[in-house]
Amino acid sequence: MRKLFSAAVLAGWLLYALPLAAQLQCSVVVNTPEDELMLAVNGATDNPQDQVTALDKYAQAHADSKFMPCVNNSYTTAYVKLNNFDKAIEYGEKNITANQLDVNQMLNLMKAYVASGKVTDLTFDVINKSAGEIAVESNPTRPSNMSDADFAKVKEDAAATAKDQRAYAEYAFFQLLPRVADPNKRVQALDAFMQAYPDTPNVAQVNFQYFVAYKEANNPAKAGEYGEKAIAADPTNVATLNLVADDYSSRQTNLDKAADYAKKVLELAPAMKKPEGMSDADFKTNQNSQLGLAHITLGYVLFQKGAASHKVAPAIQEFKSAIDLLDINPSLQARALFNMGYAYEVLAPANHKAADDALSRSAAIASPWQAQAKDLLAKVRKAEHR
């Protein structure tokens, strides 16, 4: 899968993007209040607080001016520089609401959304509308007096800029989408994104996010459909393989595929490459978590296939392998311990002592499995003392 655009690459360019763009028609007449304002704003590029002061002075005196969309644009840029992202969003969204669209402002607004983690009713509209604005600016009009060579360079530069701008817009989308709690709204956001960016290079990521949303919306058919699409688009993505396998096994919708994908994770995960900027410790934690989850999935598949005949010893071995890898991931470890304790009870004869040990450890960990582990542990102890 093509790597998503890094925020760091574009951050400086966004901060210093010129606030005046063609869509807003921000040209000024010499010796007017607007001219005085922009001289002050452009003369204080190293001091955004001075820019805000100049903008405040103008806005107080000319609140009804047709130039106010340009003022809002400059406010957005200045407040991003000041890391006052709520204010940047406030002023940027005034122009979006009024359909005063400008690529640089929209990108600065996206930067404010990403930096603050804030998702508003307009966030995804900004991202989606930017696609059309970027496309327009990537196709410049040739001045009548420009040579072929010079115009070719202008077009090349415009295409390169548009590529970076669009990459940041897509990066912002994938950063902000998980902050939408309602999975059905995430599906709607994905649908709208695909209408705006039908040729996105991040197809695997789109399909993966559809998978996650449909899984959380308890729609296993759609989750399976998009999980398979995500794997087809990026067949060596360990995290995708693991989560799709886990979904298949936990829902018991396709145990054979779950096992196949989990085994593939066990083949691929040891050769994972550490992402740039990730510490060795964090990388090892992630790698072991991926391996541990794959063992849990295999254990659960083996348990489901062997429970009726009480032949769950192979499942117990998989859970043991998972537990050894998951000291750094208590929640997953608690899950593996719970499953292993349950499996010990299914053996014929049941191994109450081993089940007690596993369930006691699971019950001691704050996790989604804690209550179930305590309940099952109480039942095991009753059986032990019969």
Side-chain angles (χ1 to χ4, degrees):
M1 180 177 70
R2 174 176 167 176
K3 185 178 179 181
L4 286 176
F5 194 79
S6 169
V9 174
L10 203 61
W13 170 69
L14 284 174
L15 287 173
Y16 294 99
L18 291 175
L20 306 182
Q23 287 275 337
L24 288 182
Q25 300 300 320
C26 292
S27 58
V28 297
V29 177
V30 176
N31 295 326
T32 61
E34 290 74 29
D35 181 38
E36 180 182 347
L37 169 66
M38 295 320 299
L39 286 172
V41 169
N42 293 330
T45 55
D46 294 331
N47 194 331
Q49 188 56 58
D50 285 351
Q51 292 180 320
V52 169
T53 300
L55 291 163
D56 286 344
K57 181 179 177 182
Y58 178 89
Q60 289 167 9
H62 306 280
D64 296 329
S65 169
K66 293 181 180 179
F67 197 70
M68 281 305 297
C70 300
V71 173
N72 293 335
N73 197 352
S74 295
Y75 266 128
T76 305
T77 304
Y79 277 123
V80 168
K81 292 179 187 178
L82 290 168
N83 293 330
N84 189 336
F85 302 117
D86 285 346
K87 279 292 187 182
I89 291 168
E90 175 188 340
Y91 282 99
E93 288 192 343
K94 286 182 180 181
N95 280 4
I96 302 301
T97 301
N99 207 34
Q100 296 281 353
L101 305 182
D102 169 75
V103 170
N104 287 331
Q105 177 177 271
M106 295 167 89
L107 288 164
N108 273 313
L109 189 48
M110 287 180 224
K111 185 176 186 296
Y113 290 137
V114 170
S116 66
K118 188 174 184 178
V119 175
T120 75
D121 291 341
L122 291 178
T123 296
F124 296 113
D125 284 345
V126 172
I127 293 170
N128 294 335
K129 286 180 178 178
S130 72
E133 299 302 308
I134 291 168
V136 169
E137 293 201 2
S138 70
N139 188 25
T141 302
R142 178 175 178 171
S144 58
N145 60 346
M146 183 173 284
S147 69
D148 290 346
D150 286 346
F151 186 56
K153 183 65 169 62
V154 167
K155 289 198 298 182
E156 180 183 348
D157 291 345
T161 298
K163 182 179 179 181
D164 286 348
Q165 291 172 332
R166 176 172 163 145
Y168 186 82
E170 294 200 33
Y171 165 84
F173 176 77
F174 291 113
Q175 288 294 302
L176 295 164
L177 182 68
R179 295 187 174 275
V180 179
D182 185 339
N184 293 307
K185 289 184 177 179
R186 262 182 277 145
V187 169
Q188 292 170 9
L190 284 159
D191 289 343
F193 175 82
M194 287 305 296
Q195 289 181 357
Y197 298 88
D199 55 344
T200 176
N202 297 300
V203 175
Q205 179 75 338
V206 169
N207 289 328
F208 177 75
Q209 292 299 334
Y210 268 121
F211 159 72
V212 172
Y214 279 123
K215 175 180 167 66
E216 292 181 15
N218 199 28
N219 187 333
K222 280 291 186 181
E225 174 189 342
Y226 280 98
E228 291 297 325
K229 287 181 179 180
I231 289 172
D234 190 6
T236 61
N237 188 301
V238 169
T240 302
L241 286 163
N242 237 345
L243 291 177
V244 174
D246 178 55
D247 186 60
Y248 281 150
S249 65
S250 60
R251 294 182 192 271
Q252 301 178 41
T253 53
N254 196 327
L255 295 179
D256 290 336
K257 271 196 173 180
D260 288 344
Y261 290 157
K263 288 174 183 176
K264 194 168 183 180
V265 170
L266 295 179
E267 293 173 5
L268 294 170
M272 288 170 62
K273 293 183 179 180
K274 185 177 74 171
E276 185 178 345
M278 180 180 282
S279 70
D280 290 343
D282 287 345
F283 175 66
K284 191 63 177 176
T285 295
N286 179 49
Q287 189 176 46
N288 284 349
S289 294
Q290 298 294 346
L291 289 165
L293 179 56
H295 281 296
I296 290 174
T297 296
L298 283 172
Y300 195 72
V301 169
L302 290 168
F303 176 84
Q304 290 299 320
K305 290 186 173 183
S309 60
H310 303 282
K311 295 178 180 179
V312 293
I316 290 171
Q317 286 304 123
E318 291 294 340
F319 295 138
K320 283 182 178 178
S321 296
I323 291 162
D324 291 342
L325 289 161
L326 293 171
D327 284 336
I328 35 66
N329 193 322
S331 184
L332 274 182
Q333 189 178 61
R335 177 179 171 187
L337 286 162
F338 174 81
N339 287 339
M340 187 168 73
Y342 199 112
Y344 275 124
E345 285 297 293
V346 172
L347 283 172
N351 188 335
H352 299 311
K353 184 179 183 307
D356 189 314
D357 290 344
L359 292 168
S360 294
R361 289 177 63 188
S362 182
I365 299 172
S367 79
W369 302 90
Q370 190 171 42
Q372 295 179 71
K374 288 179 179 178
D375 288 345
L376 185 54
L377 179 60
K379 293 174 182 176
V380 168
R381 287 179 175 171
K382 283 184 180 179
E384 282 184 275
H385 294 97
R386 283 176 185 169

